[in-house]
Amino acid sequence: MQLQKTIAAVCLIMACLSSGISVAEPTVQVETENSLTSAASTNSLDLEDAISHTLKNNPQLFQYRFRKKSLLAHREAESYAPPLHIGLETENVAGSGAFNGFDSAETTLSLSSVIELGGKARSRVAVIDAKTDRLSFEQQAATLDVLGELTTLYISCLSTQESIRLAEETVGLSERMLSTVKRRAAKGAAPDAEVMRAKAALSRSKIRLRALYSSYDRQKVMLSSFWGESDPKFDALKGRLSVFESEADFPSLFKRAQNSPAIAILASEARLRDAEVKLAKAQSRVNIGWQLGVRRYEDTNDTALTAGITIPLFNGKRNRGSVVSALAERDALEYQKKDALSKLHTRLYSAFSQWEENTRVVNQMSSQVLPALEKALILTQQAYEAGRYRYQDWIVAQEELLAAKQQRIEAATSAQLSQALIEQLVAEPLKTNKIIY
């Protein structure tokens, strides 16, 4: 039940991320042999489907059900009482004189076992229960880690899709630029060198587009490997990048992160160590061995009962080292927890700071920088066509706009990656408001 709640929380986290993905947007255009801008593919994958496939088929998560099954079987075995032993013993046979043959034999049939003192069986079961509890938190943490990695790669794929769209836009701009330069050159208003430069710019933009397609194919293979497929069954991912603002502050996030499965593992480990200490102390209590039997005397045809007990000596002294070892391991956990919390604080603060920084960048780029550069490119193109600006001025204006758009893609990608990491660390979704991208 606890694992189901964690998986549900993870799905909410990823749903929060995917809510910034506008599924109505066209999917990335896939290059064909005749064109770099063929029709958009309809065989697309969204984040919800990727999560579902991963939860069902990821080998790293699938192993936990067998580990739990093993612990349950071990628990059953440890809960049994000490076994009963049946023994048969014959004396005074095959000797010499009166003991020649079996006439003077003494045969004993006995039943023996051990009485465990100190609640050893309960202590052994408690250790197994603590291991099962720890395994549950390990599974939750592993689920968060795997789905966090999946979301990170999914965001990277979306980023590549955005870069492909920008590269396609660059190809279109370069084609229109080449056409304009050719017209001016035909009229004698532009030198042939500008035509050559425009052709080179178009070739470079196509080279970059092909490289992005190749990178995107590799990312799709990596993404499908999360659910055990080597050949992706999808052509593109649904959506586009979006960035969110949140009213969450770092102290509240860190407080929530201290209740995450990654930290809960240490608490379950402490309970396991406590159980091991109790077991080690219980093992210091002696076990009393007992035996009951019936003995037959062949020479008189009589029978008699036999009984006996065995008690080990100095058992507590011999087991003292196990108790000290278990106590030391339990005490060391407190420092391990402090170290884990310190690393968690550093990692969470770094992600939170980067998230805030890149969110501001996306906001400013979308509201201030890009509108100004788009207007500047239009004015520069018009001035070039009228002969007032040089070709170089037009190139610079276009490159500035494209560079700013790429910077916004990178900032949006970093912001979403940071948000995904924050939600993975706190194991909860953030309440956010969407920023126009």
Side-chain angles (χ1 to χ4, degrees):
M1 180 62 68
Q2 182 66 27
L3 177 59
Q4 293 175 348
K5 291 181 179 179
T6 298
I7 292 177
V10 172
C11 292
L12 285 174
I13 293 171
M14 305 311 167
C16 180
L17 288 174
S18 62
S19 65
I21 299 173
S22 176
V23 296
E25 294 290 345
T27 54
V28 61
Q29 295 176 331
V30 181
E31 179 182 2
T32 65
E33 293 181 357
N34 300 322
S35 173
L36 293 174
T37 55
S38 60
S41 169
T42 58
N43 185 19
S44 55
L45 176 78
D46 60 22
L47 182 57
E48 183 179 356
D49 290 336
I51 291 173
S52 177
H53 295 330
T54 300
L55 290 175
K56 291 178 181 178
N57 303 300
N58 187 271
Q60 184 176 345
L61 301 180
F62 203 74
Q63 62 176 313
Y64 284 95
R65 65 181 63 184
F66 298 105
R67 292 176 60 185
K68 184 176 182 180
K69 185 176 181 180
S70 173
L71 285 174
L72 291 177
H74 193 192
R75 184 186 190 279
E76 181 180 0
E78 293 292 351
S79 65
Y80 292 142
L84 293 172
H85 301 277
I86 187 169
L88 181 64
E89 181 181 1
T90 300
E91 301 177 359
N92 301 332
V93 298
S96 60
F99 299 104
N100 186 20
F102 291 89
D103 293 338
S104 300
E106 296 179 7
T107 304
T108 305
L109 179 65
S110 63
L111 189 67
S112 62
S113 185
V114 173
I115 299 175
E116 289 187 327
L117 300 179
K120 294 183 177 64
R122 292 195 305 271
S123 297
R124 290 194 299 268
V125 170
V127 169
I128 302 301
D129 288 341
K131 289 182 178 180
T132 304
D133 184 51
R134 182 185 62 180
L135 180 65
S136 177
F137 286 109
E138 287 179 355
Q139 184 176 5
Q140 295 171 40
T143 301
L144 283 171
D145 290 342
V146 169
L147 295 186
E149 293 173 6
L150 171 69
T151 305
T152 296
L153 183 56
Y154 192 94
I155 293 171
S156 298
C157 289
L158 284 180
S159 177
T160 302
Q161 283 190 171
E162 293 293 338
S163 295
I164 288 175
R165 291 189 177 96
L166 180 58
E168 290 173 342
E169 179 184 345
T170 303
V171 171
L173 289 173
S174 298
E175 288 175 342
R176 291 193 294 272
M177 179 176 288
L178 176 59
S179 177
T180 300
V181 173
K182 282 183 176 179
R183 288 198 305 268
R184 287 179 54 81
K187 297 177 182 179
D192 292 338
E194 290 185 359
V195 176
M196 295 299 101
R197 293 174 65 186
K199 287 182 177 180
L202 177 59
S203 297
R204 289 198 305 270
S205 64
K206 290 182 178 180
I207 290 172
R208 171 167 170 73
L209 183 58
R210 292 190 184 97
L212 288 171
Y213 280 133
S214 178
S215 175
Y216 187 65
D217 288 338
R218 292 192 295 271
Q219 288 177 328
K220 287 192 297 182
V221 172
M222 294 171 61
L223 191 62
S224 62
S225 69
F226 275 86
W227 51 88
E229 291 183 0
S230 57
D231 183 21
K233 301 299 188 295
F234 58 94
D235 297 322
L237 302 181
K238 289 183 180 179
R240 303 183 70 169
L241 292 173
S242 296
V243 176
F244 300 87
E245 288 181 332
S246 174
E247 297 179 356
D249 58 280
F250 178 76
S252 65
L253 288 176
F254 183 63
K255 184 177 180 180
R256 290 155 62 183
Q258 295 179 54
N259 297 320
S260 66
I263 301 302
I265 289 177
L266 294 175
S268 65
E269 186 75 17
R271 290 189 290 271
L272 173 59
R273 298 306 179 195
D274 287 336
E276 290 177 343
V277 169
K278 291 181 181 179
L279 177 59
K281 291 180 177 179
Q283 297 289 4
S284 299
R285 298 287 299 274
V286 298
N287 295 331
I288 300 176
W290 60 267
Q291 176 180 310
L292 289 175
V294 178
R295 178 171 296 176
R296 174 178 172 79
Y297 299 89
E298 293 294 337
D299 54 353
T300 62
N301 290 327
D302 293 327
T303 59
L305 293 177
T306 64
I309 62 172
T310 57
I311 301 176
L313 299 178
F314 312 113
N315 188 65
K317 183 177 181 180
R318 289 195 301 271
N319 201 54
R320 190 176 302 161
S322 299
V323 176
V324 173
S325 176
L327 287 171
E329 291 184 4
R330 185 193 64 182
D331 294 340
L333 276 176
E334 184 64 27
Y335 295 95
Q336 293 180 21
K337 184 176 181 180
K338 290 181 179 179
D339 180 62
L341 287 174
S342 176
K343 292 179 179 178
L344 174 64
H345 182 279
T346 301
R347 193 178 181 193
L348 182 61
Y349 183 80
S350 177
F352 183 77
S353 177
Q354 293 180 41
W355 178 44
E356 287 188 319
E357 176 186 351
N358 287 290
T359 297
R360 286 193 298 268
V361 170
V362 173
N363 194 13
Q364 293 174 358
M365 295 292 290
S366 299
S367 62
Q368 301 174 20
V369 179
L370 290 180
L373 291 177
E374 287 171 350
K375 182 64 175 179
L377 178 60
I378 294 174
L379 295 176
T380 303
Q381 180 179 349
Q382 293 173 349
Y384 171 77
E385 292 174 350
R388 297 195 306 272
Y389 279 5
R390 300 173 303 165
Y391 172 76
Q392 184 63 30
D393 297 327
W394 189 14
I395 287 289
V396 170
Q398 177 177 302
E399 289 180 346
E400 287 179 346
L401 175 61
L402 295 175
K405 288 185 175 183
Q406 184 62 43
Q407 183 181 356
R408 184 180 65 167
I409 290 174
E410 294 172 356
T413 301
S414 297
Q416 273 212 358
L417 290 175
S418 297
Q419 181 179 341
L421 177 57
I422 291 171
E423 293 177 323
Q424 177 185 345
L425 293 176
V426 302
E428 294 179 12
L430 301 181
K431 295 181 180 179
T432 57
N433 298 314
K434 184 175 179 181
I435 296 177
I436 296 177
Y437 172 75

